[in-house]
Amino acid sequence: MSEADSVPSEKSSYRDYRGENADNNKHLVESQTKGLFRESDAGDGTIREDHILTGSKFYFCVIALILCLFLVALDQMITTAVLTNISDHFHEFNKMTWITAAFLMPMGCFAQVWGRLSINFGRKWIMVIGLILFEIGSLISGIATSMNMFIGGRILQGIGGSCIQSLAMIIATEITTINRKPILFGTLSLTFVVASVLGPIIGGIFGTYITWRWCFYINLCCAVIIFPLFIFSYKTKPPKGSFRDHFKTIDFMDNFLMVASFVLILIAISFGQTNSWRATSTICCFTIGGILLIGFIIFNFKFSKYPVIPGDIISKPGVIVSFIGFTMSYSCLMVIMQFLSIYFENVSGHNPLHTGLSLIPSAVSTSGAALFSGIVIQKSRHIKEICVISAILQPVAVGLMQLFKVHEVMGYSIGFQIIIGIGTGLNFQGPMLSALINAPKTPGSSILTTALFNFGRSTGAAFFSEIAGAIYTETLKSHIEEVAPLINEKKYALSSIISNTNILNKLGSHDKEIIRDQILKSIKSVFWLSFAISTISLIATIFMSNKKVPEKKDVEA
């Protein structure tokens, strides 16, 4: 490790308030002198050892984190099976894409902000704030009397969910040493994937047999268990210093520029789908969002004393290539899962429950691969080799999905899901572990590196989901216009048939076959986007660091 990594530079002083981290740097120098691996301290006046849990405290805390992550992951996908039900209830099909977008946008845009706030005010109480916001949003969505009220609730859910997801991974990073992280990360990844695929199944049950509102009421029921379990199981040393001292370390301008720029760009893409790419609202959002993004980059890296994304983290090649590979791999999975749901429901003709059940192969394979990779990495200490195998399998699986047909071939739908599940699952924790090993050792770096990966995962999923939706919408419009003269049914507008599967199922076999064929062509166009994303992930993974997980005897904290 270079001297620059061992001794904090002047630029790292933005994490040192009131000189409290001077003692922390002493621990870092001592560990380097002994030749031991040590992750960075929190940057809040505490040291690594203050946050490491052992015995029953560790296991209860892990259970609490699993439940917190399960709550958010479940909600992220539970609405995919009831999109039509919700739109039909409020009679606003033109806003159907906002059901998902309103949740995913803040999920990504606020992730890094919560990471910074957790350093200022402590992980425990920031997580509690996130849980409260998420539950209030769930309540608003569940009792909504209009689509706008519903979307407002989803936005609040996304803000809270962003906090929960980021803090769960940050706390997991802190409560144990680097040599024990592979299996822990694998377990959390398994939880996330299982919940993501159970979501459509549970949503399908509620939408088909009860009411879509229970997709949100269920969060309130889960909170009764999760709140007390987390509060009483996670007990570590709180940050040093007064509230006023911590408040001064928040750069409001930096946070505003980051959130506003990404939100406006995502809204612009969404407006392009629902309105027009040439509409004034779309152009304005793109323009203002782009200007704010440039402003954020300049301000964050040049002028901010307490940057949301520290320059010393981004400047590390071992961190940035792992970040790109991780973000692209996860974004590919989310796009594929979203449009596999559309394929099973709109092309194969499955009901919401059957659609959820059809996604089980990807859930099982991804979960198994994630846990398997955690065990292998912990035993062998090799990271890059596992990630490269994963990155090769993912584009292969996406390419094979071009073989899908209007009439479902069971072998294709199950087999290709298994391949992409293995390809994605093997890559769930490797890149983050590699980044933490290569991250700067200045106070706060481990927390902000973990937050950066959550930011990339959520923002990437939101961004590419919007891009995929735009490709699907535009290509489907074009395909439908080409075959419009061949369609016999004139009672329904073609736009209504496309957006409402109930109408599609009422059409004659001739018309149904034509429209489903066009839907499949548009889905395959989205699969090409996923292929490009997975290829970028492969290229980034090849350039990952070759460093291994340190052995137990070489780890200090």
Side-chain angles (χ1 to χ4, degrees):
M1 185 170 291
S2 66
E3 185 180 349
D5 288 338
S6 302
V7 181
S9 64
E10 291 181 6
K11 290 183 179 180
S12 70
S13 62
Y14 54 73
R15 297 191 191 93
D16 300 339
Y17 54 89
R18 295 173 53 184
E20 287 173 341
N21 284 323
D23 292 336
N24 298 353
N25 295 333
K26 181 179 69 175
H27 293 279
L28 176 61
V29 174
E30 289 176 353
S31 64
Q32 294 301 319
T33 303
K34 298 175 184 177
L36 300 176
F37 178 86
R38 181 184 180 87
E39 292 183 72
S40 69
D41 295 316
D44 57 5
T46 61
I47 61 175
R48 274 287 294 141
E49 288 82 354
D50 292 333
H51 300 279
I52 295 176
L53 301 179
T54 57
S56 60
K57 292 181 180 179
F58 171 79
Y59 291 109
F60 277 115
C61 184
V62 170
I63 292 172
L65 295 179
I66 287 173
L67 292 176
C68 289
L69 204 55
F70 184 87
L71 186 69
V72 175
L74 184 70
D75 198 80
Q76 189 167 327
M77 295 298 293
I78 199 170
T79 57
T80 57
V82 292
L83 293 175
T84 303
N85 302 59
I86 296 170
S87 301
D88 186 42
H89 179 86
F90 294 116
H91 305 290
E92 294 196 61
F93 282 101
N94 62 318
K95 294 182 180 179
M96 184 170 66
T97 57
W98 279 95
I99 297 173
T100 302
F103 182 79
L104 289 178
M105 285 182 191
M107 272 284 289
C109 297
F110 282 86
Q112 195 70 18
V113 175
W114 288 118
R116 167 56 72 183
L117 290 176
S118 74
I119 295 177
N120 297 335
F121 303 107
R123 270 64 74 201
K124 182 172 186 175
W125 298 112
I126 293 297
M127 172 71 99
V128 169
I129 290 172
L131 285 165
I132 292 172
L133 289 174
F134 182 81
E135 296 301 339
I136 293 174
S138 299
L139 179 62
I140 293 173
S141 297
I143 64 173
T145 55
S146 68
M147 182 61 100
N148 289 337
M149 181 179 176
F150 176 83
I151 291 173
R154 289 291 282 168
I155 292 172
L156 199 56
Q157 273 190 297
I159 296 172
S162 174
C163 176
I164 296 169
Q165 184 171 289
S166 292
L167 268 293
M169 296 306 298
I170 288 171
I171 292 171
T173 299
E174 283 198 306
I175 61 176
T176 190
T177 52
I178 191 73
N179 58 297
R180 295 184 65 190
K181 283 184 174 68
I183 291 182
L184 176 57
F185 282 2
T187 303
L188 293 177
S189 299
L190 184 153
T191 303
F192 195 89
V193 175
V194 170
S196 296
V197 180
L198 282 178
I201 298 175
I202 296 173
I205 293 173
F206 287 151
T208 304
Y209 301 107
I210 309 176
T211 171
W212 59 265
R213 295 184 186 275
W214 265 100
C215 293
F216 306 98
Y217 294 154
I218 191 175
N219 296 330
L220 302 175
C221 299
C222 293
V224 176
I225 300 173
I226 295 174
F227 259 101
L229 180 61
F230 174 75
I231 290 173
F232 291 111
S233 65
Y234 180 60
K235 294 181 179 180
T236 59
K237 195 171 182 178
K240 293 182 179 179
S242 66
F243 179 86
R244 185 176 182 180
D245 292 325
H246 293 297
F247 192 78
K248 290 179 180 178
T249 63
I250 301 174
D251 193 324
F252 290 99
M253 177 59 72
D254 200 36
N255 284 275
F256 168 76
L257 289 173
M258 179 184 187
V259 173
S261 60
F262 281 101
V263 167
L264 285 173
I265 291 171
L266 290 172
I267 288 175
I269 299 172
S270 185
F271 279 170
Q273 297 178 61
T274 55
N275 300 328
S276 169
W277 293 102
R278 297 181 180 180
T280 304
S281 58
T282 305
I283 296 172
C284 284
C285 286
F286 266 126
T287 304
I288 299 173
I291 293 172
L292 290 178
L293 180 59
I294 294 171
F296 163 71
I297 293 172
I298 295 172
F299 185 83
N300 182 83
F301 295 114
K302 291 290 184 182
F303 302 105
S304 179
K305 189 179 179 182
Y306 306 100
V308 182
I309 304 179
D312 61 346
I313 293 177
I314 291 295
S315 62
K316 288 282 187 180
V319 174
I320 196 65
V321 294
S322 297
F323 170 76
I324 294 172
F326 178 80
T327 299
M328 294 300 174
S329 176
Y330 184 79
S331 298
C332 175
L333 176 67
M334 286 296 100
V335 171
I336 288 294
M337 294 293 288
Q338 181 179 346
F339 283 87
L340 278 177
S341 296
I342 293 175
Y343 169 76
F344 288 129
E345 189 165 355
N346 291 8
V347 178
S348 298
H350 297 338
N351 61 32
L353 177 58
H354 194 179
T355 296
L357 293 173
S358 298
L359 294 171
I360 287 179
S362 60
V364 174
S365 57
T366 306
S367 304
L371 189 58
F372 174 78
S373 68
I375 296 172
V376 171
I377 291 174
Q378 184 150 320
K379 294 292 184 182
S380 69
R381 299 173 42 235
H382 289 276
I383 299 175
K384 183 175 179 177
E385 293 81 353
I386 302 295
C387 294
V388 170
I389 293 172
S390 164
I392 291 172
L393 286 174
Q394 196 173 53
V396 170
V398 176
L400 288 172
M401 288 183 178
Q402 293 293 331
L403 298 175
F404 278 172
K405 302 181 183 299
V406 172
H407 299 286
E408 183 185 356
V409 178
M410 193 68 70
Y412 287 177
S413 60
I414 294 177
F416 299 162
Q417 281 191 76
I418 291 174
I419 297 174
I420 197 168
I422 294 173
T424 307
L426 291 176
N427 209 26
F428 258 31
Q429 58 267 9
M432 187 178 291
L433 284 169
S434 180
L436 288 170
I437 292 171
N438 288 278
K441 304 309 174 215
T442 46
S445 292
S446 292
I447 289 178
L448 293 174
T449 299
T450 305
L452 180 66
F453 271 67
N454 282 287
F455 165 75
R457 174 168 63 183
S458 300
T459 304
F463 178 77
F464 286 111
S465 291
E466 289 295 325
I467 294 293
I471 291 173
Y472 175 76
T473 302
E474 295 302 316
T475 55
L476 187 54
K477 287 179 182 177
S478 175
H479 294 326
I480 291 296
E481 287 176 1
E482 292 175 4
V483 300
L486 303 176
I487 298 176
N488 298 325
E489 180 60 62
K490 306 299 180 184
K491 181 179 178 181
Y492 304 106
L494 290 178
S495 58
S496 300
I497 296 173
I498 294 169
S499 62
N500 192 336
T501 55
N502 292 327
I503 295 177
L504 178 61
N505 292 328
K506 294 177 182 178
L507 300 178
S509 58
H510 173 267
D511 292 349
K512 191 185 298 182
E513 192 78 9
I514 292 175
I515 292 175
R516 284 178 171 171
D517 186 51
Q518 308 317 306
I519 292 174
L520 179 58
K521 288 180 181 178
S522 296
I523 291 174
K524 287 183 176 181
S525 296
V526 172
F527 287 166
W528 282 121
L529 169 68
S530 300
F531 181 81
I533 298 171
S534 61
T535 302
I536 295 172
S537 175
L538 172 60
I539 295 171
T541 303
I542 291 172
F543 289 97
M544 276 177 56
S545 168
N546 291 315
K547 290 183 179 179
K548 300 179 182 179
V549 176
E551 293 186 72
K552 183 178 181 181
K553 64 182 178 61
D554 297 326
V555 176
E556 182 181 23

